[in-house]
Short mmCIF file of all heavy atoms in Angstrom, two decimals:
data_model
loop_
_atom_site.label_atom_id
_atom_site.label_comp_id
_atom_site.label_asym_id
_atom_site.label_seq_id
_atom_site.Cartn_x
_atom_site.Cartn_y
_atom_site.Cartn_z
N THR A 26 -12.90 12.93 5.09
CA THR A 26 -12.94 14.36 5.34
C THR A 26 -11.54 14.88 5.63
O THR A 26 -10.86 14.34 6.51
CB THR A 26 -13.84 14.66 6.57
OG1 THR A 26 -15.13 14.08 6.31
CG2 THR A 26 -13.96 16.14 6.81
N PRO A 27 -11.07 15.89 4.88
CA PRO A 27 -9.74 16.43 5.16
C PRO A 27 -9.65 16.91 6.61
O PRO A 27 -10.56 17.58 7.11
CB PRO A 27 -9.63 17.62 4.19
CG PRO A 27 -10.61 17.31 3.10
CD PRO A 27 -11.73 16.56 3.77
N GLY A 28 -8.60 16.50 7.30
CA GLY A 28 -8.43 16.87 8.69
C GLY A 28 -9.30 16.07 9.64
O GLY A 28 -9.44 16.41 10.81
N GLY A 29 -9.91 14.98 9.13
CA GLY A 29 -10.77 14.13 9.95
C GLY A 29 -10.01 13.44 11.07
O GLY A 29 -8.77 13.48 11.13
N THR A 30 -10.74 12.79 11.94
CA THR A 30 -10.13 12.10 13.07
C THR A 30 -10.39 10.60 13.06
O THR A 30 -9.89 9.88 13.91
CB THR A 30 -10.65 12.67 14.40
OG1 THR A 30 -12.07 12.54 14.43
CG2 THR A 30 -10.24 14.12 14.56
N MET A 31 -11.20 10.12 12.10
CA MET A 31 -11.43 8.69 11.97
C MET A 31 -11.69 8.36 10.51
O MET A 31 -12.05 9.23 9.71
CB MET A 31 -12.60 8.24 12.85
CG MET A 31 -13.93 8.85 12.48
SD MET A 31 -15.26 8.30 13.57
CE MET A 31 -15.61 6.70 12.89
N GLY A 32 -11.48 7.11 10.16
CA GLY A 32 -11.60 6.68 8.78
C GLY A 32 -13.00 6.82 8.23
O GLY A 32 -13.99 6.60 8.92
N GLU A 33 -13.07 7.21 6.96
CA GLU A 33 -14.34 7.33 6.24
C GLU A 33 -14.16 6.74 4.85
O GLU A 33 -13.05 6.62 4.35
CB GLU A 33 -14.75 8.79 6.15
CG GLU A 33 -15.01 9.44 7.51
CD GLU A 33 -15.31 10.92 7.40
OE1 GLU A 33 -14.63 11.62 6.64
OE2 GLU A 33 -16.24 11.36 8.10
N ASP A 34 -15.28 6.39 4.23
CA ASP A 34 -15.26 5.77 2.91
C ASP A 34 -15.83 6.70 1.85
O ASP A 34 -16.73 7.48 2.12
CB ASP A 34 -16.11 4.49 2.89
CG ASP A 34 -15.65 3.45 3.89
OD1 ASP A 34 -14.51 3.56 4.38
OD2 ASP A 34 -16.44 2.54 4.17
N ILE A 35 -15.31 6.54 0.62
CA ILE A 35 -15.92 7.15 -0.55
C ILE A 35 -16.03 6.04 -1.58
O ILE A 35 -15.12 5.22 -1.73
CB ILE A 35 -15.11 8.35 -1.08
CG1 ILE A 35 -15.89 9.08 -2.17
CG2 ILE A 35 -13.73 7.92 -1.57
CD1 ILE A 35 -15.31 10.43 -2.56
N ALA A 36 -17.15 5.99 -2.27
CA ALA A 36 -17.38 4.95 -3.28
C ALA A 36 -17.37 5.57 -4.67
O ALA A 36 -18.01 6.60 -4.90
CB ALA A 36 -18.71 4.24 -3.02
N LEU A 37 -16.63 4.94 -5.56
CA LEU A 37 -16.58 5.35 -6.97
C LEU A 37 -17.14 4.20 -7.79
O LEU A 37 -16.61 3.08 -7.74
CB LEU A 37 -15.15 5.66 -7.40
CG LEU A 37 -14.37 6.67 -6.56
CD1 LEU A 37 -12.95 6.81 -7.08
CD2 LEU A 37 -15.07 8.02 -6.57
N THR A 38 -18.20 4.45 -8.56
CA THR A 38 -18.88 3.40 -9.30
C THR A 38 -19.03 3.81 -10.76
O THR A 38 -19.53 4.90 -11.06
CB THR A 38 -20.28 3.13 -8.71
OG1 THR A 38 -20.14 2.73 -7.35
CG2 THR A 38 -21.01 2.05 -9.48
N VAL A 39 -18.58 2.93 -11.66
CA VAL A 39 -18.81 3.13 -13.09
C VAL A 39 -19.46 1.87 -13.63
O VAL A 39 -19.31 0.78 -13.08
CB VAL A 39 -17.51 3.44 -13.87
CG1 VAL A 39 -16.97 4.81 -13.48
CG2 VAL A 39 -16.46 2.38 -13.68
N SER A 40 -20.19 2.03 -14.73
CA SER A 40 -20.85 0.87 -15.34
C SER A 40 -20.68 0.92 -16.85
O SER A 40 -20.27 1.94 -17.41
CB SER A 40 -22.33 0.85 -14.95
OG SER A 40 -22.94 2.06 -15.34
N GLY A 41 -21.00 -0.17 -17.49
CA GLY A 41 -20.83 -0.26 -18.94
C GLY A 41 -19.38 -0.10 -19.31
O GLY A 41 -18.51 -0.77 -18.75
N THR A 42 -19.09 0.82 -20.23
CA THR A 42 -17.71 1.04 -20.67
C THR A 42 -17.00 2.13 -19.88
O THR A 42 -15.89 2.53 -20.22
CB THR A 42 -17.67 1.40 -22.17
OG1 THR A 42 -18.44 2.60 -22.36
CG2 THR A 42 -18.22 0.27 -23.03
N GLY A 43 -17.63 2.63 -18.84
CA GLY A 43 -17.02 3.68 -18.03
C GLY A 43 -15.78 3.19 -17.31
O GLY A 43 -15.69 2.03 -16.91
N ASN A 44 -14.78 4.07 -17.18
CA ASN A 44 -13.53 3.75 -16.51
C ASN A 44 -13.33 4.62 -15.28
O ASN A 44 -13.85 5.73 -15.21
CB ASN A 44 -12.33 3.99 -17.44
CG ASN A 44 -12.33 3.08 -18.64
OD1 ASN A 44 -12.65 1.91 -18.54
ND2 ASN A 44 -11.98 3.63 -19.79
N ILE A 45 -12.55 4.11 -14.34
CA ILE A 45 -12.05 4.91 -13.22
C ILE A 45 -10.56 5.04 -13.46
O ILE A 45 -9.85 4.03 -13.49
CB ILE A 45 -12.33 4.26 -11.86
CG1 ILE A 45 -13.83 4.11 -11.65
CG2 ILE A 45 -11.69 5.08 -10.74
CD1 ILE A 45 -14.21 3.35 -10.40
N SER A 46 -10.09 6.27 -13.70
CA SER A 46 -8.67 6.49 -14.00
C SER A 46 -7.99 7.23 -12.86
O SER A 46 -8.40 8.33 -12.49
CB SER A 46 -8.53 7.33 -15.28
OG SER A 46 -9.09 6.64 -16.37
N PHE A 47 -6.97 6.60 -12.30
CA PHE A 47 -6.13 7.23 -11.28
C PHE A 47 -4.95 7.86 -12.02
O PHE A 47 -4.06 7.14 -12.50
CB PHE A 47 -5.63 6.18 -10.28
CG PHE A 47 -6.72 5.59 -9.44
CD1 PHE A 47 -7.41 4.45 -9.87
CD2 PHE A 47 -7.05 6.15 -8.22
CE1 PHE A 47 -8.41 3.90 -9.09
CE2 PHE A 47 -8.05 5.60 -7.43
CZ PHE A 47 -8.74 4.47 -7.87
N ASP A 48 -4.94 9.18 -12.16
CA ASP A 48 -3.92 9.86 -12.94
C ASP A 48 -3.09 10.86 -12.13
O ASP A 48 -2.32 11.62 -12.71
CB ASP A 48 -4.56 10.59 -14.13
CG ASP A 48 -5.09 9.62 -15.17
OD1 ASP A 48 -4.51 8.54 -15.31
OD2 ASP A 48 -6.09 9.95 -15.82
N ALA A 49 -3.25 10.89 -10.83
CA ALA A 49 -2.50 11.83 -9.99
C ALA A 49 -2.29 11.20 -8.62
O ALA A 49 -2.27 9.99 -8.49
CB ALA A 49 -3.23 13.16 -9.90
N GLN A 50 -2.21 12.03 -7.60
CA GLN A 50 -1.92 11.55 -6.25
C GLN A 50 -3.19 11.08 -5.53
O GLN A 50 -4.21 11.76 -5.53
CB GLN A 50 -1.26 12.67 -5.43
CG GLN A 50 -0.78 12.22 -4.08
CD GLN A 50 -0.04 13.31 -3.34
OE1 GLN A 50 -0.36 14.49 -3.47
NE2 GLN A 50 0.96 12.92 -2.57
N SER A 51 -3.11 9.90 -4.93
CA SER A 51 -4.18 9.37 -4.09
C SER A 51 -3.63 9.30 -2.67
O SER A 51 -2.62 8.64 -2.42
CB SER A 51 -4.60 7.98 -4.55
OG SER A 51 -5.19 8.05 -5.83
N ILE A 52 -4.29 10.00 -1.74
CA ILE A 52 -3.81 10.12 -0.37
C ILE A 52 -4.77 9.42 0.59
O ILE A 52 -5.97 9.70 0.58
CB ILE A 52 -3.69 11.61 0.04
CG1 ILE A 52 -2.74 12.35 -0.88
CG2 ILE A 52 -3.24 11.72 1.49
CD1 ILE A 52 -2.71 13.85 -0.66
N PHE A 53 -4.21 8.52 1.39
CA PHE A 53 -5.00 7.81 2.39
C PHE A 53 -4.41 8.09 3.77
O PHE A 53 -3.20 7.98 3.96
CB PHE A 53 -4.99 6.30 2.13
CG PHE A 53 -5.73 5.94 0.88
CD1 PHE A 53 -5.13 6.00 -0.36
CD2 PHE A 53 -7.06 5.54 0.95
CE1 PHE A 53 -5.81 5.69 -1.52
CE2 PHE A 53 -7.77 5.23 -0.21
CZ PHE A 53 -7.14 5.30 -1.44
N GLU A 54 -5.27 8.45 4.71
CA GLU A 54 -4.83 8.76 6.07
C GLU A 54 -5.09 7.58 7.00
O GLU A 54 -6.13 6.93 6.90
CB GLU A 54 -5.55 9.99 6.61
CG GLU A 54 -5.18 11.27 5.88
CD GLU A 54 -5.93 12.47 6.41
OE1 GLU A 54 -7.18 12.42 6.48
OE2 GLU A 54 -5.27 13.46 6.76
N ILE A 55 -4.12 7.32 7.89
CA ILE A 55 -4.27 6.31 8.94
C ILE A 55 -4.50 7.06 10.25
O ILE A 55 -3.73 7.94 10.61
CB ILE A 55 -3.02 5.41 9.02
CG1 ILE A 55 -2.89 4.59 7.73
CG2 ILE A 55 -3.08 4.51 10.25
CD1 ILE A 55 -1.64 3.75 7.66
N PHE A 56 -5.58 6.68 10.95
CA PHE A 56 -5.96 7.37 12.18
C PHE A 56 -5.71 6.54 13.44
O PHE A 56 -5.92 7.03 14.55
CB PHE A 56 -7.44 7.76 12.14
CG PHE A 56 -7.76 8.69 11.01
CD1 PHE A 56 -8.35 8.22 9.85
CD2 PHE A 56 -7.45 10.03 11.10
CE1 PHE A 56 -8.63 9.07 8.80
CE2 PHE A 56 -7.73 10.90 10.05
CZ PHE A 56 -8.32 10.42 8.91
N GLY A 57 -5.32 5.29 13.28
CA GLY A 57 -5.11 4.46 14.46
C GLY A 57 -4.50 3.13 14.11
O GLY A 57 -4.46 2.72 12.95
N ASN A 58 -4.03 2.44 15.14
CA ASN A 58 -3.46 1.11 14.99
C ASN A 58 -3.73 0.34 16.27
O ASN A 58 -3.19 0.65 17.31
CB ASN A 58 -1.96 1.19 14.71
CG ASN A 58 -1.35 -0.19 14.55
OD1 ASN A 58 -2.05 -1.15 14.23
ND2 ASN A 58 -0.07 -0.30 14.79
N THR A 59 -4.58 -0.67 16.16
CA THR A 59 -4.87 -1.51 17.31
C THR A 59 -4.06 -2.79 17.28
O THR A 59 -4.20 -3.63 18.14
CB THR A 59 -6.38 -1.85 17.37
OG1 THR A 59 -6.75 -2.46 16.13
CG2 THR A 59 -7.20 -0.60 17.60
N GLY A 60 -3.21 -2.94 16.26
CA GLY A 60 -2.39 -4.14 16.12
C GLY A 60 -3.10 -5.15 15.24
O GLY A 60 -4.31 -5.34 15.34
N GLY A 61 -2.35 -5.80 14.36
CA GLY A 61 -2.94 -6.78 13.44
C GLY A 61 -3.84 -6.10 12.43
O GLY A 61 -3.53 -5.03 11.93
N VAL A 62 -4.98 -6.73 12.14
CA VAL A 62 -5.93 -6.17 11.18
C VAL A 62 -6.71 -5.07 11.89
O VAL A 62 -7.37 -5.31 12.90
CB VAL A 62 -6.89 -7.26 10.67
CG1 VAL A 62 -7.90 -6.66 9.71
CG2 VAL A 62 -6.12 -8.38 10.00
N ASN A 63 -6.63 -3.87 11.37
CA ASN A 63 -7.27 -2.72 12.01
C ASN A 63 -8.73 -2.57 11.58
O ASN A 63 -9.13 -3.01 10.51
CB ASN A 63 -6.50 -1.45 11.66
CG ASN A 63 -5.26 -1.32 12.51
OD1 ASN A 63 -5.33 -0.94 13.66
ND2 ASN A 63 -4.11 -1.66 11.94
N LEU A 64 -9.51 -1.93 12.43
CA LEU A 64 -10.92 -1.65 12.15
C LEU A 64 -11.04 -0.64 11.02
O LEU A 64 -10.12 0.13 10.75
CB LEU A 64 -11.60 -1.10 13.40
CG LEU A 64 -11.57 -2.00 14.64
CD1 LEU A 64 -12.12 -1.25 15.84
CD2 LEU A 64 -12.36 -3.27 14.38
N ALA A 65 -12.22 -0.59 10.38
CA ALA A 65 -12.45 0.34 9.28
C ALA A 65 -12.28 1.79 9.72
O ALA A 65 -11.89 2.64 8.91
CB ALA A 65 -13.86 0.13 8.73
#
Side-chain angles (χ1 to χ4, degrees):
T26 305
T30 58
M31 63 181 281
E33 297 176 316
D34 301 344
I35 189 168
L37 306 177
T38 300
V39 292
S40 57
T42 60
N44 295 320
I45 299 174
S46 298
F47 293 89
D48 291 329
Q50 187 176 34
S51 294
I52 301 172
F53 292 84
E54 293 179 307
I55 295 176
F56 299 101
N58 180 23
T59 56
V62 178
N63 281 282
L64 301 173

